[in-house]
């Protein structure tokens, strides 16, 4: 990096790691790093970045773990010779729905931080709740039902807010703490979501809550496209003009076009489930996992599987359910069949539920894939076949970080006529990775219908009978 060259930082406080990207004025990535919570912060005892309580529904993350991760990554940047004086702006994202509870008096500590000590030491007494509820939590059913009843029902709430009441949503988590931990609630002077919490650490003051989404910005999503993030959770983003709130999925403001909307579907059993099947069926090797996808036929000879290690969001189901070509439930599959059943099932669910929101796959539809699994070409081939659409990626799987860096540049011209689209003109276009195999659509059309029918059968299975022991 030239001595006087400005740069811009993008941060992502995600479930399993803290990530940072630096870009220059030509939007080229010049620095990239991360801190992995389970590996680099063993003292917090997390698994996949979280603590799962004994009821299997309560899922939290330590607030100080996120802060110490920031201390660590800043030290790594300093040790590498990164020149912070060149940073003109920074922006960040955080896992959705996580909430942070600042204790009375925390704002004064935040405003008077000493440069002589790390942040995690300075802020260790600043939180009334030490473990934050996160997006994987599903323990607020009572609060959800109460909220929906108060406004006239689930659909009425979706019409007002874009979503029905969901267990992981911050409002319901706050209501639970207010009800079950009134002492902690009484000691709380401010509540942040993870993204505004992260911004507060840099500001030295409480940051307001923003409503944009960096995945969408980093992927340069356009109308008609589908963005799929294949991370700890899998999320599917749709650019829409005419929102139709429903009982599944969510409608948000569009961060790129103030006149449009973004629809989102979230699937809790994403990479964690893929990693479990990789370990069980491919000796922990992604190469072996990919070989299994390549050596099995499209459609898996009619074998269909549902793989929910934790209670899923879309649909609300749990457990592993396998069906043969005759729709008979079976106890297991051969390893190669298991791997393809997992990946085909995950992508068929995404297509089915996107179409329930009114989305139609068009000839010009592009799928923009990001997240860790977007590096795996064989997984993306199944995605392309199921959706009958070409799949594109960008050079970094950390699209949320990249989107934040773009937003950092855009923030400097906020209030002018310069749009984010103008800002990202220099950014590389998404790269075509795979196209659908010939005949895939004919295989998946009947299979999609079978999957949807079998999903209803799985939903009739009591959740409690399939909770992991």
């Amino acid at each position: 990096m030239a001595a006087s060259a400005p740069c811009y930082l993008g941060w992502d406080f995600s479930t399993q790691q803290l990530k940072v990207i630096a870009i220059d004025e030509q939007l080229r990535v010049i620095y990239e790093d991360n801190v992995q919570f389970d590996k680099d912060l063993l003292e917090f005892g997390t698994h996949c970045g979280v603590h799962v309580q004994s009821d299997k529904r309560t899922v939290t993350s330590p607030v100080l773990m996120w802060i110490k991760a920031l201390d660590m990554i800043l030290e790594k940047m300093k040790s590498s010779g990164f020149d912070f004086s060149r940073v003109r702006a920074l922006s960040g994202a955080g896992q959705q729905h996580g909430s942070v509870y600042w204790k009375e008096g925390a704002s004064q500590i935040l405003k008077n931080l000493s440069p002589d000590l790390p942040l995690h030491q300075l802020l260790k007494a600043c939180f009334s709740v030490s473990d934050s509820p996160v997006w994987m939590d599903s323990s607020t059913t009572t609060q959800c039902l109460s909220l929906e009843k108060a406004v006239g029902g689930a659909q009425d709430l979706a019409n007002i807010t874009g979503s029905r009441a969901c267990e992981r949503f911050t409002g319901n988590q706050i209501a639970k703490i207010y009800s079950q931990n009134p002492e902690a609630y009484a000691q709380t002077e401010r509540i942040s979501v993870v993204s505004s919490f992260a911004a507060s650490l840099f500001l030295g003051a409480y940051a307001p809550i923003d409503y944009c989404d960096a995945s969408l910005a980093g992927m340069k999503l356009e109308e008609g496209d589908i963005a799929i993030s294949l991370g700890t959770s899998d999320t599917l983003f749709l650019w829409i003009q005419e929102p139709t709130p429903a009982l599944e999925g969510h409608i948000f403001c569009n961060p790129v076009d103030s006149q449009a909307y973004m629809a989102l579907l979230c699937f809790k059993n994403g990479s964690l489930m893929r990693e479990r099947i990789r370990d069980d069926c491919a000796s922990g090797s992604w190469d072996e996992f990919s070989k299994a996808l390549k050596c099995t036929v499209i459609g898996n000879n009619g074998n269909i599987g549902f793989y929910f290690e934790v209670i899923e969001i879309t649909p609300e189901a749990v457990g592993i359910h396998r069906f043969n070509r005759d729709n008979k439930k079976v106890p297991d599959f051969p390893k190669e069949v298991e791997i393809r059943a997992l990946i085909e099932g995950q992508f068929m669910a995404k297509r089915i539920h996107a179409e329930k929101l009114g989305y139609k796959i068009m000839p010009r539809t592009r799928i923009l894939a990001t997240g860790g699994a977007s590096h795996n070409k064989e997984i993306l081939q199944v995605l392309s076949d199921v959706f009958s659409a070409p799949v594109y990626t960008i050079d970094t799987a950390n699209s949320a970080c990249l989107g934040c860096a773009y937003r950092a540049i855009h923030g400097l011209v906020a209030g002018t006529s310069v749009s984010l689209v103008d800002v990202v003109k220099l950014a590389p276009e998404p790269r075509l990775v795979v196209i659908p195999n010939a005949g895939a659509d004919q295989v998946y059309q009947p299979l999609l219908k079978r999957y949807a029918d079998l999903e209803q059968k799985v939903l009739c299975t009591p959740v409690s009978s399939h909770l992991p022991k």
Side-chain angles (χ1 to χ4, degrees):
M1 183 167 61
S4 60
C7 70
Y8 309 87
L9 299 183
W11 296 87
D12 184 14
F13 286 69
S14 64
T15 309
Q16 298 193 64
Q17 56 188 313
L18 171 61
K19 295 169 277 191
V20 65
I21 275 180
I23 62 173
D24 62 17
E25 290 190 303
Q26 285 71 49
L27 309 190
R28 296 173 299 199
V29 175
I30 57 175
Y31 184 89
E32 194 167 359
D33 209 341
N34 68 81
V35 168
Q36 298 181 30
F37 301 144
D38 291 2
K39 175 185 173 184
D40 300 322
L41 292 161
L42 291 172
E43 64 269 33
F44 291 97
T46 58
H47 176 65
C48 300
V50 301
H51 292 148
V52 180
Q53 308 303 324
S54 58
D55 63 0
K56 306 299 182 184
R57 290 178 174 271
T58 304
V59 184
T60 59
S61 291
V63 182
L64 285 181
M65 179 180 74
W66 297 331
I67 299 174
K68 191 170 184 180
L70 179 58
D71 284 329
M72 290 178 68
I73 206 166
L74 289 171
E75 281 298 324
K76 289 174 72 175
M77 295 174 75
K78 181 180 177 181
S79 298
S80 74
F82 187 89
D83 187 353
F84 288 96
S85 71
R86 308 305 177 199
V87 176
R88 295 293 181 269
L90 60 87
S91 182
Q95 55 171 291
Q96 289 183 324
H97 313 303
S99 47
V100 176
Y101 300 79
W102 297 91
K103 206 173 196 177
E104 286 183 344
S107 61
Q108 289 303 310
I109 296 174
L110 199 57
K111 290 176 183 176
N112 296 285
L113 295 174
S114 166
D116 299 324
L117 291 172
L119 282 173
H120 72 276
Q121 291 186 21
L122 293 167
L123 298 174
K124 62 184 178 181
C126 284
F127 305 99
S128 54
V129 176
S130 59
D131 266 35
S132 287
V134 295
W135 66 270
M136 295 173 69
D137 188 276
S138 58
S139 66
T140 63
T141 303
T142 299
Q143 289 74 26
C144 289
L145 294 174
S146 176
L147 177 59
E148 289 180 346
K149 182 179 179 182
V151 299
Q155 185 61 58
D156 288 318
L157 184 60
N159 292 340
I160 296 168
T161 68
S163 303
R164 69 173 302 170
C166 297
E167 280 85 354
R168 66 193 185 281
F169 277 18
T170 311
N172 300 312
Q173 296 292 341
I174 294 170
K176 177 188 171 185
I177 288 174
Y178 173 82
S179 172
Q180 298 185 9
N181 196 352
E183 183 177 346
Y185 185 87
Q187 294 173 352
T188 301
E189 72 175 19
R190 177 82 173 207
I191 300 172
S192 298
V193 294
V194 176
S195 55
S196 64
F197 154 76
S200 301
L201 298 178
F202 287 102
L203 284 174
Y206 294 142
I209 292 174
D210 198 0
Y211 59 79
C212 79
D213 191 283
S215 294
L216 189 147
M219 291 299 291
K220 297 183 69 175
L221 194 71
E222 299 173 357
E223 187 175 357
D225 293 338
I226 300 174
I228 294 181
S229 175
L230 301 171
T232 305
S233 64
D234 287 349
T235 49
L236 184 149
F237 305 86
L238 307 170
W239 179 307
I240 56 175
Q241 295 290 346
E242 300 293 335
T244 307
L247 296 185
E248 62 181 23
H250 316 282
I251 306 295
F252 295 105
C253 299
N254 187 308
V256 175
D257 182 349
S258 62
Q259 302 304 309
Y261 296 85
M262 179 183 77
L264 180 145
L265 288 165
C266 184
F267 302 84
K268 194 183 292 187
N269 292 271
S271 284
L272 300 185
M273 196 70 243
R274 289 188 287 271
E275 290 165 6
R276 173 181 164 181
I277 297 299
R278 175 204 62 188
D279 294 344
D280 292 347
C281 299
S283 304
S285 166
W286 284 119
D287 286 341
E288 293 300 316
F289 190 96
S290 296
K291 286 178 184 177
L293 289 176
K294 290 170 72 174
C295 76
T296 46
V297 298
I298 293 174
N300 214 13
N301 290 316
N303 294 299
I304 290 176
F306 298 79
Y307 298 83
F308 309 130
E309 185 166 32
V310 294
I311 298 172
E312 188 49 87
I313 296 166
T314 314
E316 190 175 354
V318 74
I320 295 178
H321 311 264
R322 304 176 184 88
F323 299 88
N324 64 18
R325 64 190 309 164
D326 299 317
N327 292 342
K328 299 287 182 63
K329 201 161 188 179
V330 295
D332 52 55
F333 285 147
K335 290 182 178 180
E336 294 82 3
V337 174
E338 185 94 300
I339 289 170
R340 178 164 279 275
L342 166 70
I343 300 302
E344 285 189 341
Q346 287 187 329
F347 292 143
M348 284 195 288
K350 290 171 179 55
R351 177 166 178 176
I352 287 166
H353 289 283
E355 291 179 343
K356 283 185 178 180
L357 282 179
Y359 192 84
K360 302 295 182 186
I361 307 297
M362 306 295 288
R364 63 185 178 86
T365 293
R366 298 185 307 170
I367 298 174
L368 307 177
T370 185
S374 67
H375 287 304
N376 189 309
K377 187 175 180 179
E378 284 70 35
I379 290 177
L380 296 187
Q381 184 64 64
V382 179
L383 171 60
S384 179
D385 290 340
V386 169
F387 275 80
S388 191
V391 175
Y392 294 74
T393 63
I394 56 176
D395 289 336
T396 176
N398 295 329
S399 61
C401 264
L402 190 59
C404 288
Y406 295 162
R407 298 289 292 187
I409 297 176
H410 189 218
L412 292 180
V413 293
T416 71
S417 60
V418 179
S419 69
L420 181 64
V421 174
D422 295 324
V423 169
V424 301
K425 280 180 178 176
L426 290 175
E429 288 298 318
R431 176 172 52 89
L432 177 64
V433 180
V434 292
I435 61 174
N437 279 305
D441 193 47
Q442 287 75 25
V443 174
Y444 284 113
Q445 283 300 334
L447 208 59
L448 285 160
K449 185 179 185 307
R450 280 187 57 215
Y451 187 96
D453 292 341
L454 289 171
E455 184 180 88
Q456 293 305 308
K457 188 173 183 179
V458 168
L459 283 169
C460 291
T461 306
V463 167
S464 60
S465 68
H466 285 285
L467 282 172
K469 302 299 187 213

